[in-house]
Amino acid sequence: MSQLSTRHLLGIKDVTETDIRLILETAANFKEVINRPIKKVPSLRDITIANIFFENSTRTRLSFELAEKRLSADVVNFSSANSSVKKGETLVDTVNNILAMKVDMVVMRHASPGAPHFLSRNISANIVNAGDGTHEHPTQALLDAFSMTEKLGDLAGKKIAIIGDILHSRVALSNIFCLQKLGAEVMVCGPITLLPKYISSLGVKVELDVMKALEWCDVANVLRIQLERQQIKYFPSLREYSLYYGINKKMLQSLNKEIVVMHPGPINRGVELSSDAADSEHSIILNQVENGVAVRMAVLYLLAGVKG
């Protein structure tokens, strides 16, 4: 099969293992393309893609825009801060006005969980979810899986620990779904106040001691504390969080094995990861950024081949 089973990428929960493996295989081909002297291919020439971001973004937005341009797509960027949304225009009206200009695909980030799903029922264009609130961030999970596969090979049976603010993280949920579909074992680790009550129902291990999680895992995917989403205090201070859950190079060197350290960014250095850990030989954080472009090229290319 060389076509996805869905015409949107709304979340990892909605895609099959076959879809995930197809995206990762296609991404490997595109990674070879973006490392050539001439990094552009005409795969999406005459396709117009709108990047519609209702939340701040640096890495994800730049990564999508670069992926689109590498595929020769025409790109339209939309920011809600300078738009008619400020005048009271609805989400559907905003997007329909953009689609009236003959846009073929929408990449959307929104603060409300489920916003891309709602939009997919109301418009005809393909939709890629670039993050919806605390719900899902599918392309981040795919690029994380691609980066792990590059380092470790097949992920079946591998042990992945997701450490940090699980409660407010869209990356955590997408990673859990993706890794489980690829056969990996998943553990979450963090303060009990930052673990969702339902988390064990997803079939993951739960650990409150960060050293035990590091000793168990092959890969530590470290998440930042999402202070902008926290309405109440979940722990006394960042300093205390860092003392109990911060990871440094000394901790990594004390393990009786080599593990891989990942982070979706942005890193709060000195909080969840010390600089010596983030920049160590254990870290593949910059590989993740590079792989993000290849994976998003694969997603856009494959979705463009799926007609409604």
Side-chain angles (χ1 to χ4, degrees), residues 24 32 62 67 78 111 122 131 140 174 215 223 229 239 248 260 269 288 290:
L24 300 186
E32 188 265 320
L62 283 175
F78 168 93
N122 288 276
Q140 182 67 48
S174 287
E215 287 163 0
L223 308 178
R229 299 189 191 281
R239 181 174 179 274
N248 57 50
V260 176
R269 287 175 182 259
Q288 290 174 263
E290 180 187 354

PDB file of all heavy atoms in Angstrom, residues 24 32 62 67 78 111 122 131 140 174 215 223 229 239 248 260 269 288 290:
ATOM      1  N   LEU A  24       6.899   6.907   7.875  1.00  0.00           N
ATOM      2  CA  LEU A  24       8.310   6.822   8.271  1.00  0.00           C
ATOM      3  C   LEU A  24       9.200   6.395   7.102  1.00  0.00           C
ATOM      4  O   LEU A  24      10.306   6.922   6.930  1.00  0.00           O
ATOM      5  CB  LEU A  24       8.477   5.866   9.458  1.00  0.00           C
ATOM      6  CG  LEU A  24       7.722   6.225  10.750  1.00  0.00           C
ATOM      7  CD1 LEU A  24       8.103   5.274  11.873  1.00  0.00           C
ATOM      8  CD2 LEU A  24       7.972   7.661  11.180  1.00  0.00           C
ATOM      9  N   GLU A  32      16.872  11.927   2.626  1.00  0.00           N
ATOM     10  CA  GLU A  32      17.978  11.859   1.657  1.00  0.00           C
ATOM     11  C   GLU A  32      17.911  13.062   0.707  1.00  0.00           C
ATOM     12  O   GLU A  32      18.937  13.668   0.365  1.00  0.00           O
ATOM     13  CB  GLU A  32      17.866  10.531   0.884  1.00  0.00           C
ATOM     14  CG  GLU A  32      19.054  10.230  -0.025  1.00  0.00           C
ATOM     15  CD  GLU A  32      18.797  10.679  -1.461  1.00  0.00           C
ATOM     16  OE1 GLU A  32      17.674  10.513  -1.947  1.00  0.00           O
ATOM     17  OE2 GLU A  32      19.752  11.189  -2.069  1.00  0.00           O
ATOM     18  N   LEU A  62       8.034  26.831  11.378  1.00  0.00           N
ATOM     19  CA  LEU A  62       9.168  26.900  10.454  1.00  0.00           C
ATOM     20  C   LEU A  62       9.377  25.556   9.741  1.00  0.00           C
ATOM     21  O   LEU A  62       9.666  25.513   8.549  1.00  0.00           O
ATOM     22  CB  LEU A  62      10.443  27.288  11.205  1.00  0.00           C
ATOM     23  CG  LEU A  62      10.596  28.759  11.590  1.00  0.00           C
ATOM     24  CD1 LEU A  62      11.848  28.942  12.440  1.00  0.00           C
ATOM     25  CD2 LEU A  62      10.667  29.652  10.363  1.00  0.00           C
ATOM     26  N   ALA A  67       9.175  22.409   4.922  1.00  0.00           N
ATOM     27  CA  ALA A  67       8.754  21.166   4.264  1.00  0.00           C
ATOM     28  C   ALA A  67       7.923  21.467   3.013  1.00  0.00           C
ATOM     29  O   ALA A  67       8.118  20.863   1.954  1.00  0.00           O
ATOM     30  CB  ALA A  67       7.957  20.303   5.240  1.00  0.00           C
ATOM     31  N   PHE A  78      -0.906  32.329   7.965  1.00  0.00           N
ATOM     32  CA  PHE A  78      -1.966  33.066   8.658  1.00  0.00           C
ATOM     33  C   PHE A  78      -1.655  33.074  10.151  1.00  0.00           C
ATOM     34  O   PHE A  78      -1.333  32.047  10.731  1.00  0.00           O
ATOM     35  CB  PHE A  78      -3.310  32.366   8.414  1.00  0.00           C
ATOM     36  CG  PHE A  78      -4.435  32.843   9.296  1.00  0.00           C
ATOM     37  CD1 PHE A  78      -5.284  33.849   8.880  1.00  0.00           C
ATOM     38  CD2 PHE A  78      -4.633  32.278  10.562  1.00  0.00           C
ATOM     39  CE1 PHE A  78      -6.322  34.278   9.700  1.00  0.00           C
ATOM     40  CE2 PHE A  78      -5.661  32.708  11.385  1.00  0.00           C
ATOM     41  CZ  PHE A  78      -6.509  33.714  10.956  1.00  0.00           C
ATOM     42  N   ALA A 111      -5.668  26.343  20.127  1.00  0.00           N
ATOM     43  CA  ALA A 111      -5.631  26.117  21.576  1.00  0.00           C
ATOM     44  C   ALA A 111      -6.710  25.156  22.054  1.00  0.00           C
ATOM     45  O   ALA A 111      -6.598  24.592  23.147  1.00  0.00           O
ATOM     46  CB  ALA A 111      -5.762  27.457  22.311  1.00  0.00           C
ATOM     47  N   ASN A 122     -16.350  20.256   8.357  1.00  0.00           N
ATOM     48  CA  ASN A 122     -16.989  21.445   7.794  1.00  0.00           C
ATOM     49  C   ASN A 122     -16.320  22.003   6.542  1.00  0.00           C
ATOM     50  O   ASN A 122     -16.862  22.914   5.926  1.00  0.00           O
ATOM     51  CB  ASN A 122     -17.043  22.554   8.856  1.00  0.00           C
ATOM     52  CG  ASN A 122     -18.054  22.268   9.953  1.00  0.00           C
ATOM     53  OD1 ASN A 122     -19.231  22.556   9.803  1.00  0.00           O
ATOM     54  ND2 ASN A 122     -17.593  21.674  11.040  1.00  0.00           N
ATOM     55  N   GLY A 131      -1.095  20.602  16.298  1.00  0.00           N
ATOM     56  CA  GLY A 131      -1.221  20.730  17.761  1.00  0.00           C
ATOM     57  C   GLY A 131      -2.551  21.347  18.122  1.00  0.00           C
ATOM     58  O   GLY A 131      -2.844  22.468  17.694  1.00  0.00           O
ATOM     59  N   GLN A 140       4.775  15.637  15.654  1.00  0.00           N
ATOM     60  CA  GLN A 140       5.867  15.540  16.633  1.00  0.00           C
ATOM     61  C   GLN A 140       6.091  14.082  17.030  1.00  0.00           C
ATOM     62  O   GLN A 140       7.233  13.626  17.127  1.00  0.00           O
ATOM     63  CB  GLN A 140       5.555  16.377  17.875  1.00  0.00           C
ATOM     64  CG  GLN A 140       6.659  16.380  18.927  1.00  0.00           C
ATOM     65  CD  GLN A 140       7.918  17.083  18.463  1.00  0.00           C
ATOM     66  OE1 GLN A 140       7.857  18.182  17.944  1.00  0.00           O
ATOM     67  NE2 GLN A 140       9.070  16.454  18.667  1.00  0.00           N
ATOM     68  N   SER A 174       0.221  11.834  21.882  1.00  0.00           N
ATOM     69  CA  SER A 174       0.520  11.361  20.530  1.00  0.00           C
ATOM     70  C   SER A 174       1.660  10.349  20.539  1.00  0.00           C
ATOM     71  O   SER A 174       1.633   9.352  19.810  1.00  0.00           O
ATOM     72  CB  SER A 174       0.870  12.543  19.613  1.00  0.00           C
ATOM     73  OG  SER A 174      -0.287  13.282  19.297  1.00  0.00           O
ATOM     74  N   GLU A 215      16.726   4.203  34.602  1.00  0.00           N
ATOM     75  CA  GLU A 215      17.317   2.857  34.659  1.00  0.00           C
ATOM     76  C   GLU A 215      16.515   1.862  33.827  1.00  0.00           C
ATOM     77  O   GLU A 215      17.069   0.902  33.280  1.00  0.00           O
ATOM     78  CB  GLU A 215      17.395   2.387  36.119  1.00  0.00           C
ATOM     79  CG  GLU A 215      18.495   3.103  36.916  1.00  0.00           C
ATOM     80  CD  GLU A 215      18.316   2.965  38.423  1.00  0.00           C
ATOM     81  OE1 GLU A 215      17.324   2.316  38.854  1.00  0.00           O
ATOM     82  OE2 GLU A 215      19.140   3.521  39.175  1.00  0.00           O
ATOM     83  N   LEU A 223       9.939  16.210  28.587  1.00  0.00           N
ATOM     84  CA  LEU A 223       9.011  17.281  28.237  1.00  0.00           C
ATOM     85  C   LEU A 223       9.211  18.483  29.151  1.00  0.00           C
ATOM     86  O   LEU A 223       9.559  18.339  30.320  1.00  0.00           O
ATOM     87  CB  LEU A 223       7.564  16.795  28.359  1.00  0.00           C
ATOM     88  CG  LEU A 223       7.215  15.499  27.626  1.00  0.00           C
ATOM     89  CD1 LEU A 223       5.756  15.130  27.896  1.00  0.00           C
ATOM     90  CD2 LEU A 223       7.464  15.622  26.133  1.00  0.00           C
ATOM     91  N   ARG A 229       0.002  26.825  30.331  1.00  0.00           N
ATOM     92  CA  ARG A 229      -1.267  26.093  30.375  1.00  0.00           C
ATOM     93  C   ARG A 229      -1.733  25.813  31.808  1.00  0.00           C
ATOM     94  O   ARG A 229      -2.810  25.264  32.001  1.00  0.00           O
ATOM     95  CB  ARG A 229      -1.135  24.759  29.636  1.00  0.00           C
ATOM     96  CG  ARG A 229      -0.787  24.896  28.176  1.00  0.00           C
ATOM     97  CD  ARG A 229      -0.876  23.566  27.455  1.00  0.00           C
ATOM     98  NE  ARG A 229      -0.299  23.656  26.142  1.00  0.00           N
ATOM     99  CZ  ARG A 229      -0.913  24.191  25.076  1.00  0.00           C
ATOM    100  NH1 ARG A 229      -2.143  24.650  25.205  1.00  0.00           N
ATOM    101  NH2 ARG A 229      -0.301  24.256  23.911  1.00  0.00           N
ATOM    102  N   ARG A 239      12.642  25.422  40.947  1.00  0.00           N
ATOM    103  CA  ARG A 239      13.873  24.917  41.558  1.00  0.00           C
ATOM    104  C   ARG A 239      13.628  23.541  42.182  1.00  0.00           C
ATOM    105  O   ARG A 239      14.425  22.617  42.030  1.00  0.00           O
ATOM    106  CB  ARG A 239      14.376  25.904  42.614  1.00  0.00           C
ATOM    107  CG  ARG A 239      15.685  25.456  43.279  1.00  0.00           C
ATOM    108  CD  ARG A 239      16.212  26.545  44.221  1.00  0.00           C
ATOM    109  NE  ARG A 239      17.440  26.093  44.852  1.00  0.00           N
ATOM    110  CZ  ARG A 239      17.485  25.355  45.963  1.00  0.00           C
ATOM    111  NH1 ARG A 239      16.365  24.997  46.554  1.00  0.00           N
ATOM    112  NH2 ARG A 239      18.642  24.973  46.481  1.00  0.00           N
ATOM    113  N   ASN A 248      20.451  15.519  34.547  1.00  0.00           N
ATOM    114  CA  ASN A 248      21.763  16.080  34.209  1.00  0.00           C
ATOM    115  C   ASN A 248      22.698  14.970  33.727  1.00  0.00           C
ATOM    116  O   ASN A 248      22.385  13.783  33.805  1.00  0.00           O
ATOM    117  CB  ASN A 248      22.360  16.841  35.405  1.00  0.00           C
ATOM    118  CG  ASN A 248      22.478  15.966  36.643  1.00  0.00           C
ATOM    119  OD1 ASN A 248      23.007  14.850  36.576  1.00  0.00           O
ATOM    120  ND2 ASN A 248      21.992  16.458  37.781  1.00  0.00           N
ATOM    121  N   VAL A 260      19.220   7.087  25.157  1.00  0.00           N
ATOM    122  CA  VAL A 260      19.051   8.214  24.237  1.00  0.00           C
ATOM    123  C   VAL A 260      18.187   9.264  24.928  1.00  0.00           C
ATOM    124  O   VAL A 260      17.173   8.931  25.559  1.00  0.00           O
ATOM    125  CB  VAL A 260      18.373   7.745  22.930  1.00  0.00           C
ATOM    126  CG1 VAL A 260      18.109   8.921  22.000  1.00  0.00           C
ATOM    127  CG2 VAL A 260      19.212   6.684  22.240  1.00  0.00           C
ATOM    128  N   ARG A 269      16.358  25.044  29.888  1.00  0.00           N
ATOM    129  CA  ARG A 269      17.635  24.564  30.413  1.00  0.00           C
ATOM    130  C   ARG A 269      17.739  24.866  31.901  1.00  0.00           C
ATOM    131  O   ARG A 269      17.400  25.963  32.348  1.00  0.00           O
ATOM    132  CB  ARG A 269      18.800  25.206  29.655  1.00  0.00           C
ATOM    133  CG  ARG A 269      18.955  24.656  28.244  1.00  0.00           C
ATOM    134  CD  ARG A 269      20.034  25.385  27.455  1.00  0.00           C
ATOM    135  NE  ARG A 269      20.129  24.856  26.087  1.00  0.00           N
ATOM    136  CZ  ARG A 269      21.054  23.998  25.677  1.00  0.00           C
ATOM    137  NH1 ARG A 269      21.981  23.564  26.523  1.00  0.00           N
ATOM    138  NH2 ARG A 269      21.071  23.568  24.429  1.00  0.00           N
ATOM    139  N   GLN A 288      16.190  15.499  15.932  1.00  0.00           N
ATOM    140  CA  GLN A 288      14.732  15.587  15.891  1.00  0.00           C
ATOM    141  C   GLN A 288      14.281  16.766  15.035  1.00  0.00           C
ATOM    142  O   GLN A 288      13.329  16.654  14.257  1.00  0.00           O
ATOM    143  CB  GLN A 288      14.162  15.751  17.309  1.00  0.00           C
ATOM    144  CG  GLN A 288      14.270  14.529  18.197  1.00  0.00           C
ATOM    145  CD  GLN A 288      13.811  14.854  19.611  1.00  0.00           C
ATOM    146  OE1 GLN A 288      14.630  15.140  20.489  1.00  0.00           O
ATOM    147  NE2 GLN A 288      12.514  14.829  19.844  1.00  0.00           N
ATOM    148  N   GLU A 290      15.931  18.265  12.571  1.00  0.00           N
ATOM    149  CA  GLU A 290      16.200  17.954  11.163  1.00  0.00           C
ATOM    150  C   GLU A 290      15.169  16.958  10.623  1.00  0.00           C
ATOM    151  O   GLU A 290      14.619  17.143   9.530  1.00  0.00           O
ATOM    152  CB  GLU A 290      17.611  17.364  11.011  1.00  0.00           C
ATOM    153  CG  GLU A 290      17.954  17.007   9.569  1.00  0.00           C
ATOM    154  CD  GLU A 290      19.274  16.265   9.416  1.00  0.00           C
ATOM    155  OE1 GLU A 290      20.004  16.117  10.425  1.00  0.00           O
ATOM    156  OE2 GLU A 290      19.572  15.828   8.293  1.00  0.00           O
TER     157      GLU A 290
END
